[in-house]
Amino acid sequence: MAKTSGLKRTQVQGKKYDLPAEEVEIQKLVKKGLSLDAKLKKIKQELETVKKESISIAERRREGTTTVQLKAVSGSSTITFRETYVCDDQVEEISQEVGSLFDRFFTKKIDFKTSKDLKKFLEGEHAYGLKDPEPVKKLILTHVKKKTTKPNVKIVDMD
């Protein structure tokens, strides 16, 4: 059987395929990605086990400190225990009893997050009843910036 021009031969699970060169390259990348992903998952599990065992030893040696140094011949491991106090939404109810120390011990924090509606508005999909949305967009854009994140790549096994 003659090889069709422009196609490259590849073998997947014992079967041979004649595919365009780019498709063969995709197959190689997916195969390599799956292999690396499996190795990485195994290594991450092993590392997690090592960390848990190190934490267990550090907890026994802690003696009230926040940082424990575990030294070995080949190196060392530093385990830092992070502790913080978290209050509920009703903490203001005790402000009278705590008195002037309340403001010293607690701060009220308000965060703003954007919504999907803002994206629709800024990208021109919806004007939300405004005849001329441009001045409002300009005002909003003085406080909001578009953040681009690294694209996510997920490689999935076909099995």
Side-chain angles (χ1 to χ4, degrees), residues 90-137:
Q90 289 80 33
V91 75
E92 281 186 290
E93 295 174 1
I94 65 168
S95 65
Q96 290 287 323
E97 291 85 358
V98 177
S100 63
L101 290 176
F102 185 83
D103 291 333
R104 180 179 287 250
F105 295 156
F106 301 98
T107 57
K108 191 171 187 175
K109 195 173 187 180
I110 300 172
D111 292 335
F112 289 96
K113 294 184 179 184
T114 62
S115 67
K116 290 181 181 179
D117 291 336
L118 178 69
K119 181 180 179 184
K120 287 180 186 176
F121 178 70
L122 292 177
E123 293 180 2
E125 295 175 28
H126 200 299
Y128 293 97
L130 297 173
K131 291 181 182 176
D132 185 19
E134 290 307 312
V136 177
K137 285 182 184 181

Side-chain angles (χ1 to χ4, degrees), residues 57-58 61 65-72 75-81:
I57 293 169
R61 295 184 178 188
T65 60
T66 57
T67 303
V68 177
Q69 186 89 14
L70 302 178
K71 294 182 181 180
S76 67
S77 178
T78 304
I79 294 87
T80 304
F81 295 92

Side-chain angles (χ1 to χ4, degrees), residues 29-30 33-34 37 41 150-158:
L29 291 171
V30 168
L34 290 170
D37 189 49
K41 283 179 183 175
K150 185 178 174 184
N152 183 41
V153 177
K154 186 175 182 180
I155 301 169
V156 182
D157 196 350
M158 295 301 285

